Amino acid sequence: MINGTDRVTFDGVEVISATDLVVMCQVGARVVGVLPLHMLPGSDVSRAGDRGRLVLSRATAVDLGLTH
C-alpha cells in the first residue's frame, strides 16, 4: 500500500481524451498520458471532459515530468 508521502495529488486536471489504455490529461500547462492502472484511489477523473483530482504515486508523477 502506498502511504501519504508516496502519493501526489493534482487538482484542476482536465481529461482531454481517454481510451482503455491511456487517459490524456492536462495538468497545469502539461499534457500527459496516464495509464488508468496508475491512477490511485482519490482520483475523480477518468473520462474525456472530466475535470477534477488526479492522484498518482510519486514515482509515476516523476516519470511523467509532473514533479521532481
Side-chain angles (χ1 to χ4, degrees), residues 1-16:
M1 182 167 203
I2 297 175
N3 67 37
T5 61
D6 293 333
R7 299 164 49 104
V8 181
T9 300
F10 300 95
D11 291 312
V13 172
E14 184 172 356
V15 177
I16 297 168

Side-chain angles (χ1 to χ4, degrees), residues 38-63:
H38 288 182
M39 294 181 174
L40 299 177
S43 295
D44 57 12
V45 294
S46 62
R47 296 181 182 188
D50 284 355
R51 187 173 187 89
R53 176 175 293 137
L54 174 64
V55 183
L56 301 171
S57 70
R58 182 165 302 283
T60 298
V62 169
D63 288 346

